[in-house]
Each structure stands twice: as C-alpha cells, then as structure tokens.
Amino acid sequence: MNISEKIEALRGLMQETGWDAVIISGTDPHGSEYLPERWQQRKWISGFTGSYGTVVVTRTHAGLWTDTRYFIQSRQELEGTGFEMHPLRVPGAVNYPEWLAANLTPGAVVGIDGECLTYREAEYLEQVLKSLNGTIDNKPSFLNVIWKDRPGLPEDPVFILEEKYSGKDTRQKLERLREQIKEEGCTHILLNSLDQIAWLFNIRCHDIPYNPVAVSYALVDKKTATLFVSPKKVSEQVEKILRSQGVSVMPYHSLYDVLKSLPAQSSIIADGNTLNYNAFQYLLTRYPVHDIESPVILEKAVKNSVEIEGFRKAFLYDGLAMERFFFWLERTLENDVALTETDASKKLSWMRALCRDAAGDSFGYISAYGANAALPHYNAVPGACSKLEKKGLYLIDSGGHYLYGTTDITRTIPLGPLSAAEKEDYTVALKGMISLSRAVFLKGTKGTHLDMLARDPLWRHRRNYGHGTGHGIGHYLCVHEGPQDIRMNWKDQDILPGMVTSNEPGIYREGSHGVRHENVLLCRELEVNEFGTWLGFETLTVCHIDTSPVITSLMDRSEIEWLNDYNRSVFEKLAPFLTYEESGWLKNKTAPLIP
C-alpha cells in the first residue's frame, strides 16, 4: 500500500470503531527513540523517517507534529502524501492535544495504542479532551488490522556486560534500588525503559538499531528481580549468570499475569513519564501506585570511576578513527576521486569498526554537504545524496559504541574555499562551544542555566539554533539519555559530577550551509570553599578542530588560547598511535592559531 491507501484503510478502521481521530506515536511500549521494525508505526503510515514526531489522523485531516530539527526534512518527506506538518517548539506552536480539542466535535472519541503512549501523555490528552466532553479509546496494536505484514518481536541474543566494564555488579545495583523502594514505602518497582533495564542487570543486546538494549520489562521487589524477555534470546550461560546475581527470567508476554498475581498489599513505583499507559492503567486497577521518576535514571546518569575511565578510553580510540577518516577524506578529494555523502559516512563507520573493542555505530550518521547541513538531522540516501565538492563546508555528526563507552561527535570542515558567511558562522558557533566548555558553576546549577553560555556568543551576532545544546550520553548504552540536558526549556535537574553531556551549538541557513561543533563533556568537582561546591567540565572528545575557517578578529585571546590548548592535547594524545604521514598531517592541523 502507498501512503494514501494506508490513510484510507485507517479511516475505514476508524469508521468501524467509531473513532473521530487516531493518534500514532513515534515510539514503542518502552518509550524508545530508535525503534525495532515492529514499532516503526509513524514511518509506516506517513513515510516520515525522523526520530521525533506524532501522527494524528481525523476523518478529514492527516498531520505530523514534529520539532525544529525536522521542519525541512518533514516538508520534503511528506510532500504529496496528504500529510501536513505541524511545527513544535516555536512561538505560537499548538501541540496535537490542543489541536484535537479545537478541531473535533463535542463528544469525540480518539483512538490510541496505549502501549505506545506514556501514561503521562495519555493522561494529559484525556484532560484536554474534557473541554469538549471527548474521550480516548485504548486498543493496543490497533494497526495490526491494516498492517498485514507487520514484523514480530526482535530475537537478538542477550549478552552480559562484564563488571570490568560496568564498574558495579547487578547485586550492588539491586541493593541500592531496594533501598530506594523502601524509602518510598513501596514493595515493588516496574521498569519498562530499555536502557534502565540494561544498566540495572548489566545486559546488552541489539534489538534496536544503534541502541544496545533488549526489548524487556523488569520487576523488582525486596527479595527478587525478574527480567521479562523472550526466552529465545537468553542462553543457558546468560541465564545462569543472571540467576547468580539474583535475577530470574520470564517470558516477555507473561508480565501481566505476574502483575495480576502479586500480593494484594503490594504498592508499586511506576514512572508515569516512561511507563506506557496500558501497563500503568493495569497497575492502577489493582494496587496503590507511586508515580515518581524512576531512581534508576539518575543512578545510571552519574557514571562511576570505571565507567569514566572507559569513556576516556572510548574517546581516545574514537579520535583515532576520526583523524584517520579526515586524513583519508582530504587525500581522496585531492586526488579528484568522486565521493558522495554516503561514501564518506560508510568509510567512517568502517574505520570505527576497526577500532579495538568497537561495538557498532551509536546512531545513524549525519553526513551533510553544503545546503544539506542546514537540516540538523539530515539523512543521506544512497543514490539521492550530494556529491562532495572541493568547496564549502561538510558536516559529519557520528558516534560509536565500545565495550567501555559510547561516543558522539560533530565536526564541520572546509573542503575548499568558503564564503564570508560560512567563515563567520563557523567562528561564531565555535565561540559558543568554547564558552560552555570553559564553564565554572556552583553545584545546583541546571542545564537551562548553562544553555545561555553556549547561546550568548551567537545571540550577540543575532544568530540562534532551534535544538538543544546538550544531552546525556549512556555508557555503552543509548547515545541520548537523561535526566540532564542543556537547553532553553526548563528542567529541574542539576548537572552533577559524573554526568556525561554533549556540547553542540550550531548555525543553520536553509539552502546554503550548516555548522555544528560538538564535543562531549564530563562534569567534575573543581573546588569546595566558603562559597560552595564548584563544578566544571573535562572535555572527553579527542579530535582536532579545524582552525582554517576561523576569523581570528571575532575571537578573544582566551578563546584562541583554549582552542590552541585543545588542539595541542589532541595531537599529544593521538600522535603516538598514528603513522608517520598521519602524524605529520595532524601536527599541521593542530598548529597554533595566531591572533
């Protein structure tokens, strides 16, 4: 079926069920950003391939709600499909619940798949629909009726992440979690977020592209811990190791039977921001539920000493792959070899795969030349992408998994002569990245406070970017993790020592070019004095920043000193591992910038 036929079939289903609208989320029962094929529902119905957005279909309208990262991409992908893009995170934006309340008739019924909306999202939707006496109707997996060849659950094998990489065994993590359950006066906690489960049980898997996690649930009480996962995925050896750590394994689809059989006096911690509506409602009908943020989120985000050393090692090896890639790219273009955006990204992925303990890419690379780089989440498609030319800017946003850490890095490099605007945007965005890198702040500072440091140099030049400045990064886990972030939107979460967070300001000019500079930062304690506890950042990323586009008159002396110090440290760390020719090339690239 094409998109129009799918919409027609969906409206036929709506007619049969008495729905006035349906919501198709862009996630799965576990709130994942990247999805197994089974839950690529938004892509299947609309053709939109971005990682964020919600589809709403009524009897007369089909819409996609997405944010500033995907405005250009969504307009391109939705053209001719009958879908209209609704912008989010801009002044005057109207999200889909409010849009439904304004456009549906009184008494309207909205169909949802309650396994693929969080409890908080569905609860908010219910509240908004009350203004027109509307209701929601939960039918899990309703798309099965029209999606005849829908894939099943993934069956990739689960494996154990050894303690020499994780820094803590599962028993230690469970002991801490049980203390937190007891502090809340509860008996159990139910987890559905896959990265939380993977971290808690020290397991990894490849069920989801780029995220080394297993499709699963977890239930923990004061004595037992249960992993709900397809039995085919767990070998006897893995099950034996889990059992030795106090974890039993049960089938994925047995979750509701186990929940039903819990003691009547049970009280359960469930995070309404992550647990799906279906599971949360099931608990509410049977037990007292404490709706609080899962304590695993913060425990996971504050890295232990072993994880921190692992990150440093991962970024060292990652830097070698990056520098060898840039060396190859420059030499290849000098020899007039034709290269496309996908040729370049495949080469970098291959170079990462050669690194010691490499475990795959951490996300789909953004390999964007020229005007394509103005799309922050551009996706180069073989056969339809741009050829690299010996002029203008090339942006490559990439990352890898290693057994001891996950990386994320963006570099924008010149392939030849640049315009004055390209040089200025390159320099101004770099000033923003340097500003955040050098931050010193009191304990208790939130990401929103720090966001201003990165934007200030851009705002002074009347420039801005629509995405966040920084996101948390998992330890051989999801490249995007919470609870911390650095963005304009308020979030009541301190930036704490041990957190690993990206730093990626950018400038994007539609139809012309895009610039983004991204390093990854480790928050560290600097000093304690009578004024408080002072924190700052250690830059983990080890890859040179090209100084040739920099307009030195726009940089102050301290910024140039930071840039020179950073590039010098990159050379000192990587040169011993490079060939003579590569080392000589990198020495030239990291030569001091003269004011």
Side-chain angles (χ1 to χ4, degrees), residues 450-467:
L450 296 175
D451 184 79
M452 180 60 193
L453 295 178
R455 293 184 192 270
D456 178 65
L458 282 75
W459 287 2
R460 290 182 185 278
H461 288 82
R462 307 305 187 265
R463 291 157 171 81
N464 192 34
Y465 49 95
H467 56 74

Side-chain angles (χ1 to χ4, degrees), residues 50 81 83 92 105 126 146 184 236 253 259 262 264 292 363 365 443 460 517:
T81 65
F83 273 91
T105 57
E126 284 185 300
I146 60 173
E184 291 296 327
E236 290 184 10
H253 292 296
L259 292 177
L262 294 180
I292 60 171
F363 58 96
Y365 293 179
K443 187 175 182 180
R460 290 182 185 278
H517 304 286

Side-chain angles (χ1 to χ4, degrees), residues 429-446:
L430 180 57
K431 287 168 66 71
M433 195 264 276
I434 293 173
S435 177
L436 180 57
S437 302
R438 299 188 303 171
V440 175
F441 51 98
L442 277 168
K443 187 175 182 180
T445 298
K446 319 295 183 186

